[in-house]
Amino acid sequence: MKVKEVSQLTGVSVRTLHHYDDIGLLTPDRTTQAGYRLYSDDNLATLQQILFFRELGFSLKKIKELLTSPAFSRQEAFEMQRKMLLEKRKQLDSMINTIEKTIQHGRGELVMTNEEKFKGFDFGENPYEQEARERWGDNAVDESNKKAIQFGPELGEEMNRIYFSLAGVRHMEPSSDEAQARIGEWFTFLNKMGSYSLEAFAGLGEMYVADERFTKNIDQFGEGLALFMRDAMAVYVKKGK
C-alpha cells in the first residue's frame, strides 16, 4: 500500500507516517524507483502496535527502543497492551459512573458525598510546572498562573477551540493561507498569556515535536497535529521576519 492509502485506512496523517519513517520508527518494506513508499502487511501490523503504545502514553523514543529490542515479542507486547488498556478502561468506567451519578444528583434523584463526586479522577501534579520554573523562574510561572485564574474557564475553551480548528486543517500544507491564518490565532492567543517573540514561537513549535509530553497532549486533538503545528509555526515566523 502507498502512504496515502495507509493514511486513509488508519486515519494517521501522511505527515506523521513520513515522520515515523524519518526517525526510523516505521520504515516501509519497499520504496519504488520513483520514491513512493510501499507498506507491507507486516508494516501495518507494526503500525497497529505503535498506535496501541501511543494510546497508552508511550513516547516515540520508548516505542522505538521496544520495537528494536532483540527481546521484543509482538505477541507479548499485545498481552501487555491489553492489560494496560483494561486498567485504563477501569478508570474510565469509574469516571463515567461518577458523571452519571452527578447527573442524577443534579436532578435530585440521589445524593452524592463530596468524595463520590471526585471518584475516578487523577489528581497528579502538572508535569510541566516544575520544569517551567527551572527554565524561566518562579516569577514567569506565577504570572502565567495568575493570568490563567484571571481569564478563568474561558481560557481553556479558547485554547481547545484553536486546537480543534488547527486539527481540521492539519492535512493541508502548513504554508497554505488557511493554515497560516489559524496558526496566527495561536500566536495571538499565546501572547495573551505571556510575551512570545517570533523566535520563541518557533522554538515552542520545535518543542511540540521534540518533547513527547507535548506531542501526546496536542495529538489528542488529531494524530499528527503537533508536527503540523511545528511546521506551520516555522512558516509563520519566516513570513513574519
Side-chain angles (χ1 to χ4, degrees), residues 163-221:
Y163 274 136
F164 279 119
S165 174
L166 285 163
V169 299
R170 71 186 189 281
H171 299 298
M172 295 183 179
E173 285 298 320
S175 58
S176 67
D177 291 342
E178 185 70 21
Q180 286 300 295
R182 298 194 189 190
I183 207 67
E185 290 185 357
W186 184 237
F187 181 71
T188 301
F189 173 80
L190 289 176
N191 276 285
K192 289 180 182 178
M193 293 294 297
S195 179
Y196 280 84
S197 64
L198 287 172
E199 290 76 13
F201 190 57
L204 186 63
E206 291 294 337
M207 189 181 295
Y208 289 166
V209 175
D211 191 319
E212 294 295 340
R213 296 169 300 175
F214 281 98
T215 305
K216 177 188 173 185
N217 286 334
I218 294 173
D219 279 4
Q220 290 180 29
F221 293 88

Side-chain angles (χ1 to χ4, degrees), residues 83-135:
K83 181 179 179 181
M84 295 178 72
L85 285 169
L86 286 171
E87 286 297 322
K88 185 175 182 179
R89 185 174 71 179
K90 182 179 178 181
Q91 183 195 3
L92 289 174
D93 285 343
S94 178
M95 293 184 71
I96 291 170
N97 184 54
T98 296
I99 199 168
E100 286 178 345
K101 285 185 176 180
T102 302
I103 292 171
Q104 291 177 297
H105 175 77
R107 293 171 177 167
E109 297 173 0
L110 58 79
V111 177
M112 294 181 74
T113 66
N114 287 332
E115 290 76 12
E116 288 175 327
K117 291 177 183 178
F118 299 97
K119 188 175 181 181
F121 287 98
D122 180 5
F123 292 104
E125 294 182 358
N126 183 342
Y128 305 114
E129 181 161 335
Q130 185 55 42
E131 181 177 339
R133 290 184 182 277
E134 293 172 359
R135 288 188 180 188

Side-chain angles (χ1 to χ4, degrees), residues 18-35:
H18 285 173
H19 181 60
Y20 287 174
D21 188 8
D22 291 340
I23 64 175
L25 178 61
L26 180 64
T27 302
D29 278 352
R30 291 175 54 204
T31 303
T32 67
Q33 290 184 346

